[in-house]
Amino acid sequence: MRNPKLKTLLAPTLLGLAIFAGTAQAAAPLRPPQGYFAPVDKFKTGDKSEGCDAMPTPYTGPLQFRSKYEGSDKARATLNVQSEKAFRDTTKDITTLERGTAKRVMQFMRDGRPEQLDCTLNWLTAWAKADALMSKDFNHTGKSMRKWALGSMASSYIRLKFSDSHPLAQHQQEAQVIEAWFSKMADQVVSDWDNLPLEKTNNHSYWAAWSVMATSVATNRRDLFDWAVKEYKVGVNQIDADGYLPNELKRQQRALAYHNYALPPLAMIASFAQVNGVDLRQENNGALKRLGDRVLAGVKDPDQFEKKNGKEQDMTDLKEDMKFAWLEPFCTLYTCSPDVIEKKHGMQPFKTFRLGGDLTKVYDPSHEKGNKGS
C-alpha cells in the first residue's frame, strides 16, 4: 500500500475484520451431516395417514429397572428371561416413545402429512412438560435407559430441525420446549457418565456420548459437543493394536456382539464431529477403522474371538442386518473395500430407532429404497 496515512487509517478496520472473521468461524452453528438437510420427499394430503397412536404415559418415576442380565456373573453375558420381561414391561412407555418418534419422523419425511408431525411434536412436548426421564433416583439400567432414549429422540428430531423443508417453522414454541428438555437431559447424562474409571468405560459410555453429540447439534451447544468428543477419544483409545476392546472381550460368548454394538455410537460421533471441523478418524492410529475391520473379520470367522477370550461366540445378534447400521457413517469416514460395500448394499436400508431412523436415507440415499444390487 503506497499511501502510509491510508494504511494507518485502515489498520484498525482490517484488524477488526480479521477478529470478526475468526469469531464468526469459531461460533459457526453446529450442524449434522449433509443427509439430514434432505427435504420432505412429497407432501401428501387426504386421510391415508396412520393417525396418531395413544401417547405413552410420560415416565416420571424413579429410573430403577431390573437388568436383563440379573443374576449373571461379572461377564454380564447370560440372559435372565424373567428379569428381561420385567425390564421390558417397566420400560415399555419409554421404548414406545423412542420407536414411535423415529417411525413417524421417517413417515413424515417420506409423506409430509401434517398429522404425523403434529403427533410427534405432541408426544415430545407432553413428555418435556412432564419433566420425564429426569429422576435423580436411578440405577445403572435406569441411567442407561435415559441416555438411549435421549439419543433416539434427539437424532430423530435433528431430521425435522435441519430439513430444507423447515417443518418446524410453524412450531417454534413446541421446538423450544422440546429442545430445553433435551438440553437438560443431556446435562444429566453428562453427570451420569462423566469421568468413569477406565475399567468401567465401555459401550454404555459410547452410547451416552452419542446421545450428547446428537443433543449438542439439536440445541447448538458446543460444551455438549466437546464432551462427546472427549468421551469418543477415551473410547477409541481403549482399542488395542489388533482392534479389540478389552472391556468388551470380558463379555465372554457375547464379546463379538458387543464389539459390534460399540461401533454405531462411535461411528456416528466421528461422522458428526467431521462435519463440524473435528477430524477424529486418525485418533489412536485410526482405531475406529481397526475396530470396524476386526468386527467384520470376526463375523466371517468368529474363531478369532474364541481364540482371544476362550469362548465360542454367540452369533444370534449378528444375524440381524440392522445391527450393522454403523456401516453407513463408517463408509463415509473411511474407504470401505468393495466386498464391504457389497455387504452393505445387500443389507440396506438400515433403519434403527436408536440412531434416529433410516441411516441409509441420510448417508447413501441412492440405495435407501432397498433397490439392492443397484
Side-chain angles (χ1 to χ4, degrees):
M1 197 176 281
R2 285 184 186 162
N3 185 335
K5 197 176 273 186
L6 185 61
K7 191 174 179 180
T8 311
L9 285 169
L10 282 177
T13 312
L14 292 170
L15 179 65
L17 283 171
I19 291 169
F20 173 75
T23 312
Q25 197 178 6
L30 293 170
R31 47 161 300 191
Q34 192 54 41
Y36 287 88
F37 290 84
V40 171
D41 288 352
K42 199 181 282 183
F43 284 92
K44 296 181 183 173
T45 50
D47 54 4
K48 294 271 192 301
S49 138
E50 292 176 36
C52 191
D53 300 330
M55 185 186 357
T57 307
Y59 189 92
T60 55
L63 293 167
Q64 294 276 354
F65 304 122
R66 290 172 66 178
S67 164
K68 62 183 180 179
Y69 296 122
E70 199 174 281
S72 175
D73 61 14
K74 66 178 188 300
R76 313 291 286 159
T78 309
L79 202 63
N80 177 329
V81 178
Q82 270 184 308
S83 63
E84 185 186 30
K85 186 183 182 313
F87 167 72
R88 300 262 175 241
D89 290 346
T90 49
T91 58
K92 186 168 181 290
D93 284 334
I94 303 169
T95 311
T96 301
L97 176 74
E98 292 181 84
R99 287 181 183 278
T101 300
K103 178 183 160 194
R104 270 193 315 277
V105 169
M106 282 192 285
Q107 286 173 341
F108 175 75
M109 293 308 296
R110 192 183 62 230
D111 301 337
R113 296 185 190 280
E115 305 89 350
Q116 293 156 342
L117 180 63
D118 292 344
C119 185
T120 301
L121 297 177
N122 288 344
W123 281 25
L124 292 174
T125 305
W127 279 60
K129 286 182 172 169
D131 214 21
L133 303 174
M134 287 302 303
S135 176
K136 297 275 205 304
D137 179 4
F138 57 85
N139 60 8
H140 188 276
T141 307
K143 71 175 184 175
S144 298
M145 278 305 292
R146 172 159 41 219
K147 52 97 164 118
W148 280 322
L150 177 61
S152 302
M153 293 183 293
S155 53
S156 287
Y157 179 83
I158 284 170
R159 312 190 73 143
L160 302 175
K161 173 144 183 166
F162 288 90
S163 168
D164 287 340
S165 299
H166 306 294
L168 297 179
Q170 305 303 313
H171 298 275
Q172 282 306 296
Q173 226 171 341
E174 292 122 296
Q176 278 180 332
V177 170
I178 293 163
E179 288 175 30
W181 177 49
F182 287 171
S183 198
K184 188 175 169 189
M185 207 185 312
D187 286 332
Q188 185 59 45
V189 169
V190 169
S191 163
D192 291 346
W193 298 94
D194 197 29
N195 292 328
L196 292 180
L198 277 181
E199 68 274 12
K200 288 194 180 333
T201 301
N202 60 14
N203 66 82
H204 280 294
S205 290
Y206 319 152
W207 281 95
W210 158 241
S211 76
V212 170
M213 174 59 86
T215 306
S216 77
V217 171
T219 59
N220 194 30
R221 278 186 57 188
R222 184 69 59 169
D223 59 324
L224 294 178
F225 177 88
D226 292 343
W227 185 84
V229 167
K230 173 189 80 117
E231 288 296 308
Y232 172 92
K233 289 181 177 180
V234 172
V236 295
N237 277 287
Q238 292 178 295
I239 298 167
D240 70 16
D242 298 316
Y244 291 104
L245 280 162
N247 289 343
E248 307 308 335
L249 277 175
K250 295 174 189 167
R251 304 303 288 267
Q252 297 188 354
Q253 74 272 19
R254 295 174 67 79
L256 173 54
Y258 271 101
H259 275 71
N260 188 62
Y261 185 62
L263 275 159
L266 292 173
M268 291 298 282
I269 292 166
S271 168
F272 272 54
Q274 182 85 354
V275 79
N276 288 293
V278 178
D279 188 347
L280 296 171
R281 288 174 298 182
Q282 288 315 309
E283 187 68 27
N284 185 14
N285 301 314
L288 179 62
K289 178 79 163 67
R290 277 203 306 284
L291 175 63
D293 291 347
R294 171 58 59 203
V295 165
L296 293 171
V299 170
K300 273 187 187 164
D301 176 16
D303 289 354
Q304 296 179 1
F305 276 76
E306 187 177 344
K307 282 187 191 122
K308 192 76 179 163
N309 76 355
K311 292 285 178 183
E312 186 180 343
Q313 293 301 297
D314 178 347
M315 300 298 283
T316 315
D317 270 2
L318 298 158
K319 291 188 169 61
E320 289 179 55
D321 289 354
M322 178 271 286
K323 303 280 186 185
F324 295 89
W326 58 268
L327 284 168
E328 293 293 15
F330 186 83
C331 290
T332 65
L333 290 163
Y334 302 102
T335 304
C336 286
S337 64
D339 65 314
V340 171
I341 295 289
E342 193 181 333
K343 178 185 175 78
K344 181 167 87 92
H345 287 169
M347 292 174 159
Q348 287 167 328
F350 291 105
K351 295 178 182 179
T352 169
F353 70 95
R354 286 267 153 87
L355 299 174
D358 188 344
L359 284 195
T360 302
K361 190 160 188 170
V362 170
Y363 288 99
D364 191 8
S366 62
H367 288 87
E368 60 105 355
K369 301 293 184 202
N371 41 353
K372 297 182 179 181
S374 62

